[in-house]
PDB file of all heavy atoms in Angstrom:
ATOM      1  N   PHE Y  38       5.350   3.761   1.364  1.00  0.00           N
ATOM      2  CA  PHE Y  38       4.625   4.942   0.898  1.00  0.00           C
ATOM      3  C   PHE Y  38       4.149   5.773   2.085  1.00  0.00           C
ATOM      4  O   PHE Y  38       4.311   6.999   2.117  1.00  0.00           O
ATOM      5  CB  PHE Y  38       3.441   4.503   0.041  1.00  0.00           C
ATOM      6  CG  PHE Y  38       2.548   5.619  -0.419  1.00  0.00           C
ATOM      7  CD1 PHE Y  38       2.830   6.307  -1.598  1.00  0.00           C
ATOM      8  CD2 PHE Y  38       1.426   5.984   0.311  1.00  0.00           C
ATOM      9  CE1 PHE Y  38       2.015   7.345  -2.034  1.00  0.00           C
ATOM     10  CE2 PHE Y  38       0.605   7.021  -0.111  1.00  0.00           C
ATOM     11  CZ  PHE Y  38       0.904   7.695  -1.289  1.00  0.00           C
ATOM     12  N   LYS Y  39       3.548   5.097   3.068  1.00  0.00           N
ATOM     13  CA  LYS Y  39       3.008   5.788   4.237  1.00  0.00           C
ATOM     14  C   LYS Y  39       4.100   6.541   4.990  1.00  0.00           C
ATOM     15  O   LYS Y  39       3.938   7.722   5.344  1.00  0.00           O
ATOM     16  CB  LYS Y  39       2.341   4.775   5.163  1.00  0.00           C
ATOM     17  CG  LYS Y  39       1.800   5.352   6.459  1.00  0.00           C
ATOM     18  CD  LYS Y  39       1.197   4.252   7.323  1.00  0.00           C
ATOM     19  CE  LYS Y  39       0.788   4.768   8.680  1.00  0.00           C
ATOM     20  NZ  LYS Y  39       0.241   3.696   9.548  1.00  0.00           N
ATOM     21  N   LYS Y  40       5.233   5.880   5.234  1.00  0.00           N
ATOM     22  CA  LYS Y  40       6.319   6.520   5.977  1.00  0.00           C
ATOM     23  C   LYS Y  40       6.890   7.699   5.205  1.00  0.00           C
ATOM     24  O   LYS Y  40       7.220   8.739   5.788  1.00  0.00           O
ATOM     25  CB  LYS Y  40       7.413   5.500   6.276  1.00  0.00           C
ATOM     26  CG  LYS Y  40       7.017   4.470   7.318  1.00  0.00           C
ATOM     27  CD  LYS Y  40       8.134   3.478   7.580  1.00  0.00           C
ATOM     28  CE  LYS Y  40       7.721   2.455   8.638  1.00  0.00           C
ATOM     29  NZ  LYS Y  40       8.791   1.466   8.896  1.00  0.00           N
ATOM     30  N   ALA Y  41       6.997   7.544   3.881  1.00  0.00           N
ATOM     31  CA  ALA Y  41       7.535   8.628   3.061  1.00  0.00           C
ATOM     32  C   ALA Y  41       6.617   9.849   3.097  1.00  0.00           C
ATOM     33  O   ALA Y  41       7.080  10.986   3.195  1.00  0.00           O
ATOM     34  CB  ALA Y  41       7.741   8.147   1.625  1.00  0.00           C
ATOM     35  N   VAL Y  42       5.299   9.616   3.027  1.00  0.00           N
ATOM     36  CA  VAL Y  42       4.339  10.719   3.064  1.00  0.00           C
ATOM     37  C   VAL Y  42       4.342  11.390   4.434  1.00  0.00           C
ATOM     38  O   VAL Y  42       4.303  12.625   4.540  1.00  0.00           O
ATOM     39  CB  VAL Y  42       2.927  10.217   2.698  1.00  0.00           C
ATOM     40  CG1 VAL Y  42       1.882  11.297   2.964  1.00  0.00           C
ATOM     41  CG2 VAL Y  42       2.875   9.804   1.232  1.00  0.00           C
ATOM     42  N   LEU Y  43       4.411  10.593   5.504  1.00  0.00           N
ATOM     43  CA  LEU Y  43       4.430  11.162   6.854  1.00  0.00           C
ATOM     44  C   LEU Y  43       5.686  11.989   7.090  1.00  0.00           C
ATOM     45  O   LEU Y  43       5.640  13.029   7.759  1.00  0.00           O
ATOM     46  CB  LEU Y  43       4.335  10.040   7.894  1.00  0.00           C
ATOM     47  CG  LEU Y  43       2.967   9.351   7.994  1.00  0.00           C
ATOM     48  CD1 LEU Y  43       3.039   8.175   8.948  1.00  0.00           C
ATOM     49  CD2 LEU Y  43       1.889  10.325   8.427  1.00  0.00           C
ATOM     50  N   ARG Y  44       6.809  11.554   6.533  1.00  0.00           N
ATOM     51  CA  ARG Y  44       8.040  12.357   6.649  1.00  0.00           C
ATOM     52  C   ARG Y  44       7.861  13.696   5.952  1.00  0.00           C
ATOM     53  O   ARG Y  44       8.369  14.731   6.427  1.00  0.00           O
ATOM     54  CB  ARG Y  44       9.228  11.593   6.064  1.00  0.00           C
ATOM     55  CG  ARG Y  44       9.770  10.488   6.963  1.00  0.00           C
ATOM     56  CD  ARG Y  44      11.139  10.024   6.505  1.00  0.00           C
ATOM     57  NE  ARG Y  44      11.089   9.428   5.186  1.00  0.00           N
ATOM     58  CZ  ARG Y  44      10.898   8.123   4.961  1.00  0.00           C
ATOM     59  NH1 ARG Y  44      10.735   7.304   5.987  1.00  0.00           N
ATOM     60  NH2 ARG Y  44      10.878   7.632   3.733  1.00  0.00           N
ATOM     61  N   GLU Y  45       7.143  13.696   4.844  1.00  0.00           N
ATOM     62  CA  GLU Y  45       6.895  14.947   4.126  1.00  0.00           C
ATOM     63  C   GLU Y  45       5.973  15.865   4.921  1.00  0.00           C
ATOM     64  O   GLU Y  45       6.078  17.087   4.835  1.00  0.00           O
ATOM     65  CB  GLU Y  45       6.295  14.658   2.749  1.00  0.00           C
ATOM     66  CG  GLU Y  45       7.277  14.065   1.758  1.00  0.00           C
ATOM     67  CD  GLU Y  45       8.409  15.008   1.422  1.00  0.00           C
ATOM     68  OE1 GLU Y  45       8.225  16.237   1.519  1.00  0.00           O
ATOM     69  OE2 GLU Y  45       9.490  14.519   1.053  1.00  0.00           O
ATOM     70  N   MET Y  46       5.060  15.288   5.683  1.00  0.00           N
ATOM     71  CA  MET Y  46       4.191  16.118   6.525  1.00  0.00           C
ATOM     72  C   MET Y  46       4.997  16.778   7.640  1.00  0.00           C
ATOM     73  O   MET Y  46       4.714  17.910   8.032  1.00  0.00           O
ATOM     74  CB  MET Y  46       3.072  15.259   7.112  1.00  0.00           C
ATOM     75  CG  MET Y  46       2.045  14.804   6.093  1.00  0.00           C
ATOM     76  SD  MET Y  46       0.717  13.839   6.857  1.00  0.00           S
ATOM     77  CE  MET Y  46      -0.338  13.540   5.426  1.00  0.00           C
ATOM     78  N   ALA Y  47       5.997  16.058   8.140  1.00  0.00           N
ATOM     79  CA  ALA Y  47       6.826  16.612   9.209  1.00  0.00           C
ATOM     80  C   ALA Y  47       7.789  17.669   8.675  1.00  0.00           C
ATOM     81  O   ALA Y  47       8.015  18.700   9.315  1.00  0.00           O
ATOM     82  CB  ALA Y  47       7.609  15.495   9.895  1.00  0.00           C
ATOM     83  N   LEU Y  48       8.353  17.424   7.499  1.00  0.00           N
ATOM     84  CA  LEU Y  48       9.315  18.365   6.912  1.00  0.00           C
ATOM     85  C   LEU Y  48       9.136  18.359   5.398  1.00  0.00           C
ATOM     86  O   LEU Y  48       9.800  17.614   4.680  1.00  0.00           O
ATOM     87  CB  LEU Y  48      10.752  17.966   7.281  1.00  0.00           C
ATOM     88  CG  LEU Y  48      11.861  18.924   6.822  1.00  0.00           C
ATOM     89  CD1 LEU Y  48      11.672  20.294   7.466  1.00  0.00           C
ATOM     90  CD2 LEU Y  48      13.231  18.362   7.169  1.00  0.00           C
ATOM     91  N   PRO Y  49       8.202  19.178   4.886  1.00  0.00           N
ATOM     92  CA  PRO Y  49       7.890  19.162   3.457  1.00  0.00           C
ATOM     93  C   PRO Y  49       9.083  19.514   2.582  1.00  0.00           C
ATOM     94  O   PRO Y  49       9.909  20.349   2.929  1.00  0.00           O
ATOM     95  CB  PRO Y  49       6.793  20.234   3.332  1.00  0.00           C
ATOM     96  CG  PRO Y  49       6.188  20.311   4.692  1.00  0.00           C
ATOM     97  CD  PRO Y  49       7.326  20.078   5.644  1.00  0.00           C
ATOM     98  N   SER Y  50       9.140  18.842   1.425  1.00  0.00           N
ATOM     99  CA  SER Y  50      10.180  19.141   0.436  1.00  0.00           C
ATOM    100  C   SER Y  50       9.509  19.194  -0.940  1.00  0.00           C
ATOM    101  O   SER Y  50       8.466  19.830  -1.089  1.00  0.00           O
ATOM    102  CB  SER Y  50      11.300  18.087   0.499  1.00  0.00           C
ATOM    103  OG  SER Y  50      10.794  16.790   0.245  1.00  0.00           O
TER     104      SER Y  50
END
Side-chain angles (χ1 to χ4, degrees):
F38 176 87
K39 177 182 174 182
K40 289 180 180 179
V42 170
L43 289 174
R44 283 195 297 269
E45 288 296 333
M46 290 182 177
L48 184 62
S50 59

